[in-house]
Amino acid sequence: RLILALTSQQFSAMFESGFAESLEPMTVVDLPDWVDYDAFLLLLFYLYSGSLEGDATNGVALPHKELSPPNEQRALLVCNLLRLSDLYLLGHLKSWCESYLGKEEVLTVYTVCGLLSHADICNAPQLLKVCCFIVRKMSAVIAVMPEWQELPAELQARSLTGLGKEL
């Protein structure tokens, strides 16, 4: 509990402010339906170790497959981790996820619409800005993609103009 409370404002509030979780000897954390088991394990690993980088883990095996090189499955895991970092107010982890998802191996003309939407949902301004840059740069190609048509008009407008929420 101490480590979780020290590393997350959300857990700190849960364990230290008189909620039922702070009074019980053992706590069950109810997770939203969208939480991926592997991403949650990765989150816990991060909270206890302070890192997801191979060298910084001091030889401790990560509770998942390597995150490098990026691929579709690893990017999906990091997308889930980004959403968890937003939920638990973990700014450093959130920035790490945004940087990972903004890599050219992950963020392509084919993935930009999904990542743009995800960045908007997760309040991820760094990733949102990179996605908007790609959208503006490749707008002629992206505008005819079905994924673009499925985005909310307001998000399309913000990404093309660079105006509005966090841009």
Side-chain angles (χ1 to χ4, degrees):
R1 285 185 182 192
L2 178 63
I3 291 173
L4 294 177
L6 288 173
T7 55
S8 166
Q9 295 173 12
Q10 184 86 2
F11 284 119
S12 178
M14 186 186 306
F15 296 141
E16 297 174 358
S17 62
F19 288 131
E21 293 88 353
S22 66
L23 305 173
E24 299 295 326
M26 189 162 112
T27 301
V28 175
V29 178
D30 291 323
L31 300 173
D33 292 338
W34 53 262
V35 174
D36 175 75
Y37 176 77
D38 289 336
F40 192 72
L41 281 180
L42 195 54
L43 173 81
L44 289 175
F45 183 87
Y46 174 80
L47 290 175
Y48 281 95
S49 71
S51 179
L52 295 175
E53 304 295 332
D55 293 341
T57 62
N58 295 321
V60 177
L62 294 173
H64 58 84
K65 296 178 181 168
E66 296 273 331
L67 291 172
S68 293
N71 63 25
E72 187 176 339
Q73 183 179 5
R74 292 172 183 142
L76 182 58
L77 179 65
V78 175
C79 279
N80 286 308
L81 191 58
L82 174 62
R83 194 162 177 196
L84 283 167
S85 68
D86 183 53
L87 176 68
Y88 290 111
L89 308 173
L90 300 167
H92 182 267
L93 179 59
K94 190 174 185 177
S95 291
W96 183 90
C97 292
E98 290 181 83
S99 294
Y100 182 96
L101 295 170
K103 292 179 181 179
E104 65 182 26
E105 301 94 340
V106 178
L107 181 58
T108 68
V109 71
Y110 302 105
T111 62
V112 70
C113 293
L115 288 171
L116 176 68
S117 178
H118 195 67
D120 191 51
I121 290 167
C122 295
N123 305 301
Q126 179 182 332
L127 181 58
L128 198 60
K129 286 178 185 177
V130 175
C131 288
C132 290
F133 174 78
I134 299 295
V135 166
R136 287 191 293 271
K137 182 178 168 187
M138 302 296 294
S139 61
V141 174
I142 293 169
V144 297
M145 297 175 71
E147 295 88 347
W148 176 256
Q149 304 304 321
E150 295 170 8
L151 290 175
E154 178 267 337
L155 184 55
Q156 289 177 354
R158 280 193 293 130
S159 64
L160 289 170
T161 62
L163 301 174
K165 179 180 158 189
E166 297 295 331
L167 294 177

